[in-house]
Amino acid sequence: MITSSHSTTTWALAAALGVAGATFIYSNSKRNKGPQKSQFYAVHQVGKVLKQDDVQDAASDDLETTYDFIIVGGGTAALVLANRLTEDPSITVLVLEAGGSSSSLKASNIPVLFKYLQRGHYDWNYKTTPQEHLNGRECHWTRAKLLGGCTTSNAMMFHFGTPEDYDEWDQIAKRIDSTSGAEDWGYQEMKKYFLKMERYVPHPDVPIDTTERGKNGPVQSGYHGYFSKFGAAFLKSCEAVGIPMVDDINTSKGTLGVTRTPTYIDSRGRRVTVESSYLTPDVLSRPNLKVAIGAHVKRIRFEEDSTRGTKRAIGVEFVPHVSGEAVDGSAPDTRSYFAWARKEVILSAGAVNTPQILLLSGIGPSEELNKHSIPVIQDLPGVGRNLRDHLVINTHYKTRPGVSNTRTLYPSSLTEYLAHWRAIGQYIMFRTGLLTSQTQCAMGFLRVDDPSLFGPSDHLSELEVDSTSLGKGPDLEVMGSALAWKDHGHGKFLGGPDAASISMVLLRPTSVGTITLRSNNAFDAPLIDPKYLSTEHDIEILRRGLKLAVKISRASPASSMIDHENGETDANLDHRLDKLDKKDLTELLKSRVETLYHPTSTARMAPLSEGGVVNDKLQVYGVEGLRIVDASIMPEIVSGHTAGPTIGIAEKAADIIKTSL
């Protein structure tokens, strides 16, 4: 029998371990001050103070504030460009980033901690407008405010999409009138850049054919994330319901099938970001590169040549990101600064901020600009239109003891705290174990019209259209996790600690949204309206996903790990999905779908007549000296995860720019 004093001692020890564990997590989510900050520049070091809004007074002949290229944004695409362009020592580049560096943030370096970078200091903290078809819900849109962009805080899933995505891009690009020869955006062309960026490091447990994997690139990839026993069972259950097992989803063979998740996690168990890959100390030390942090861009400035009838981007106006931020201990700095671009301004601020900055600069639909009293530089209707995003529905199931990892990550008893600290110790000593988890350790892709997956008893509705790339790619992604969560891990999950998840992702939505301005103030967040579930097509794809999720949960061997008998009585779990009718499934989707944080196509590469903003060389229509390089230029959203394709776009763009010099 346990005595009262023994019980008190036990819980005191548990409490002490809890405090220690929380301290480890919290302290590692904060910035560790180090010497790296001195490698970056402040706004007053890279620009000249604007006096009374007079750009000419900023003196274009000032070599200290004039650069060949100014890159707006320091995210996924931006740092690739900064690296590749400054390989030529004669080219000078300025990067303007509103946030700071993630290199010393343990919450970015340790894979499992990534949620601690969301909804705080390192996030833009955007929300959508109330979504009509989601019962009026506003959805959080995490966009990292850090060098490296969303590669610092995403789920680290290394995937390029399907080959047909890029062949479709190429078809759209070929419809653009080009006076200097059409650029190739097809898969075989893009594959060169995927190989160029990647350094695949084999894992002994995952032997694959590496013929089509990059060997010498800056971005390390592999299978070095934590792989749970539920993940292994999930893959076999997917195979049991008709989804084939495949070795590699990043080759010319395509992505259809299920596999262990390839990751942006290195062989030492650390997150791989674009900053850690492309902005190394050697690159930062190049005399022709300046990276300014804490720089909030207000707008791009233009000069009009009345004799030629042209408008040219001449530079960028920016301010300290935190209003009133002090400079070198002096009085708070509220001044605007300006830097000149000899050759080009390159917008790489992402699918949200790129259209926002274009609009603030006078480029976009004239009615939108007039509404906010912004002088029209170029009426370009496609800016901020054609927004696409991936939606996910997470389904949750009660598991048998010892299957879920939730108790270890979020302990509440002495035994669980001991397991929690054992996991921390394993990571500190060996850089392996649960702290290398990126949550979704198994993933796969499929077509919902595959007759082997559904039968007459599923009572499917007809699809309005086949939205897949060239009618061949996948339209649904499936993922398995030994964790369960609500609201991206920020909400309280009511299904208990013994639970696992099966998630379904809408890959090719036909719902099309917009990015517009809230005001003409650069510090006001834009209005984000993705118009989620506004088409019956998108609802039906995810309804089929729900039906498939419960089939997988009831297939062996995952079924042996899932406690269906006891889970059916918990209204917070999804064991009874197969009992719901079409109307109930639709209501469930409206109340629970979430973003996968993959916005694209808000400044798409396409003909003007098709809502295009840039041509096949990524130059903005109607103005000179302005190019866009980020996920906003995607003609259509890729059938998978967006970080890899965005890096590939930037690698290709760097070559396009170098060729033009």
Side-chain angles (χ1 to χ4, degrees):
M1 181 175 180
I2 299 176
T3 65
S4 176
S5 61
H6 183 264
S7 176
T8 301
T9 301
T10 298
W11 282 107
L13 178 58
L17 288 171
V19 171
T23 301
F24 174 84
I25 297 296
Y26 181 77
S27 66
N28 280 284
S29 69
K30 300 299 180 180
R31 177 185 289 129
N32 295 330
K33 293 184 178 179
Q36 289 152 318
K37 191 168 184 180
S38 64
Q39 297 176 293
F40 303 109
Y41 292 82
V43 293
H44 70 284
Q45 296 174 303
V46 297
K48 189 165 184 177
V49 175
L50 268 180
K51 297 179 181 178
Q52 299 179 341
D53 202 38
D54 186 359
V55 170
Q56 295 302 323
D57 186 65
S60 61
D61 59 351
D62 185 347
L63 296 179
E64 291 298 314
T65 59
T66 304
Y67 309 85
D68 292 320
F69 295 92
I70 299 176
I71 301 173
V72 176
T76 304
L79 300 189
V80 179
L81 287 171
N83 178 310
R84 296 307 189 191
L85 292 178
T86 57
E87 288 175 335
D88 182 341
S90 69
I91 295 174
T92 58
V93 172
L94 169 65
V95 176
L96 296 171
E97 165 59 37
S101 172
S102 72
S103 61
S104 59
L105 293 177
K106 291 295 189 276
S108 181
N109 296 332
I110 300 174
V112 80
L113 300 183
F114 65 91
K115 83 167 190 176
Y116 293 98
L117 290 181
Q118 300 174 354
R119 306 186 187 181
H121 178 71
Y122 305 109
D123 190 350
W124 285 97
N125 293 306
Y126 291 144
K127 284 187 177 182
T128 68
T129 59
Q131 292 299 287
E132 177 184 356
H133 303 286
L134 302 190
N135 300 329
R137 287 192 292 134
E138 296 180 352
C139 301
H140 284 278
W141 263 37
T142 284
R143 311 308 298 160
K145 194 195 304 178
L146 288 164
L147 288 168
C150 291
T151 64
T152 64
S153 63
N154 64 11
M156 296 158 278
M157 303 174 86
F158 187 89
H159 184 237
F160 295 124
T162 190
E164 290 80 14
D165 291 335
Y166 304 100
D167 291 339
E168 183 180 55
W169 288 10
D170 192 53
Q171 288 187 7
I172 295 170
K174 291 293 192 292
R175 297 199 291 268
I176 300 171
D177 291 332
S178 180
T179 58
S180 57
E183 280 293 331
D184 185 353
W185 287 91
Y187 175 71
Q188 289 303 321
E189 169 73 3
M190 291 302 294
K191 182 180 175 182
K192 295 188 303 187
Y193 295 104
F194 298 149
L195 294 174
K196 182 178 182 179
M197 66 174 265
E198 182 184 19
R199 178 163 56 91
Y200 176 77
V201 178
H203 190 287
D205 295 341
V206 192
I208 66 168
D209 180 0
T210 60
T211 304
E212 295 189 67
R213 304 305 294 269
K215 308 297 193 300
N216 302 305
V219 180
Q220 187 177 145
S221 71
Y223 295 87
H224 299 287
Y226 177 77
F227 188 58
S228 69
K229 57 186 176 183
F230 178 78
F234 167 83
L235 292 178
K236 292 179 180 178
S237 292
C238 285
E239 192 172 35
V241 303
I243 309 173
M245 194 97 73
V246 294
D247 292 331
D248 194 350
I249 53 171
N250 284 307
T251 74
S252 57
K253 296 177 182 178
T255 64
L256 295 176
V258 291
T259 189
R260 178 170 169 172
T261 300
T263 65
Y264 294 94
I265 298 174
D266 69 19
S267 56
R268 293 289 295 154
R270 299 168 299 191
R271 172 191 286 271
V272 174
T273 72
V274 168
E275 182 186 12
S276 66
S277 302
Y278 284 89
L279 201 65
T280 63
D282 285 346
V283 174
L284 269 175
S285 66
R286 292 173 183 170
N288 55 331
L289 173 63
K290 290 184 179 180
V291 178
I293 58 176
H296 192 113
V297 169
K298 292 179 67 176
R299 55 180 165 166
I300 299 162
R301 303 294 290 263
F302 295 86
E303 191 172 70
E304 188 168 356
D305 186 334
S306 56
T307 59
R308 294 176 57 221
T310 59
K311 293 155 285 190
R312 182 175 188 83
I314 57 171
V316 179
E317 182 182 346
F318 51 98
V319 293
H321 177 63
V322 180
S323 182
E325 182 179 10
V327 175
D328 293 341
S330 61
D333 189 5
T334 58
R335 297 170 296 181
S336 289
Y337 292 82
F338 189 80
W340 285 79
R342 291 190 193 91
K343 300 183 184 299
E344 288 184 3
V345 173
I346 304 173
L347 259 177
S348 294
V352 176
N353 294 104
T354 281
Q356 180 191 26
I357 293 169
L358 283 171
L359 291 166
L360 290 169
S361 305
I363 296 180
S366 58
E367 66 275 13
E368 172 75 4
L369 301 175
N370 291 332
K371 182 167 62 176
H372 297 289
S373 302
I374 298 173
V376 178
I377 299 297
Q378 180 67 31
D379 181 13
L380 200 51
V383 173
R385 279 24 181 192
N386 301 298
L387 171 63
R388 306 294 176 105
D389 187 29
H390 290 144
L391 274 179
V392 61
I393 179 70
N394 302 305
T395 65
H396 307 299
Y397 307 89
K398 182 177 178 61
T399 56
R400 303 191 186 281
V403 173
S404 176
N405 297 132
T406 307
R407 289 184 183 274
T408 302
L409 285 178
Y410 304 100
S412 60
S413 71
L414 176 59
T415 301
E416 293 166 9
Y417 277 115
L418 290 173
H420 180 77
W421 268 97
R422 188 162 54 246
I424 292 174
Q426 181 179 353
Y427 184 80
I428 292 172
M429 293 177 66
F430 305 109
R431 300 289 170 168
T432 60
L434 188 55
L435 269 65
T436 66
S437 171
Q438 41 68 254
T439 70
Q440 308 276 17
C441 65
M443 65 189 297
F445 299 87
L446 57 103
R447 292 180 60 92
V448 298
D449 62 3
D450 185 340
S452 68
L453 299 177
F454 301 100
S457 62
D458 290 304
H459 305 293
L460 304 179
S461 299
E462 288 293 322
L463 285 170
E464 295 177 331
V465 65
D466 182 354
S467 67
T468 60
S469 50
L470 302 183
K472 298 177 182 179
D475 45 18
L476 192 70
E477 179 180 4
V478 56
M479 301 182 290
S481 175
L483 295 167
W485 60 88
K486 183 180 180 182
D487 191 20
H488 299 272
H490 298 277
K492 183 175 176 57
F493 180 67
L494 301 177
D498 287 315
S501 302
I502 297 175
S503 302
M504 296 290 170
V505 181
L506 171 68
L507 292 174
R508 297 281 293 188
T510 55
S511 299
V512 182
T514 60
I515 303 287
T516 55
L517 293 179
R518 191 178 303 271
S519 75
N520 60 14
N521 186 334
F523 280 91
D524 285 346
L527 295 172
I528 302 169
D529 184 9
K531 294 182 170 55
Y532 288 139
L533 296 187
S534 59
T535 66
E536 182 61 27
H537 166 277
D538 293 358
I539 295 171
E540 175 59 19
I541 293 286
L542 288 174
R543 277 198 301 251
R544 295 189 188 192
L546 289 172
K547 291 175 182 288
L548 186 59
V550 76
K551 286 185 180 186
I552 295 168
S553 77
R554 294 187 181 279
S556 180
S559 59
S560 66
M561 297 183 177
I562 294 175
D563 187 354
H564 283 291
E565 182 178 356
N566 292 308
E568 285 195 358
T569 60
D570 191 333
N572 297 298
L573 298 172
D574 296 305
H575 297 264
R576 296 178 58 82
L577 278 178
D578 53 343
K579 307 295 193 299
L580 301 183
D581 61 18
K582 176 180 175 180
K583 180 180 178 182
D584 289 336
L585 289 173
T586 301
E587 289 306 311
L588 184 149
L589 290 171
K590 290 181 176 182
S591 65
R592 282 175 44 187
V593 291
E594 298 174 347
T595 175
L596 207 63
Y597 305 127
H598 289 171
T600 71
S601 309
T602 50
R604 69 194 295 253
M605 174 178 61
L608 267 171
S609 60
E610 298 177 29
V613 174
V614 298
N615 64 17
D616 57 319
K617 294 173 179 58
L618 311 185
Q619 297 161 312
V620 176
Y621 288 120
V623 296
E624 296 178 351
L626 181 59
R627 207 180 298 253
I628 300 174
V629 183
D630 58 31
S632 68
I633 68 93
M634 292 186 185
E636 300 290 347
I637 193 168
V638 292
S639 309
H641 298 259
T642 51
T646 302
I647 296 171
I649 288 169
E651 286 279 14
K652 178 173 173 60
D655 278 357
I656 292 173
I657 293 167
K658 287 178 177 179
T659 301
S660 71
L661 298 178

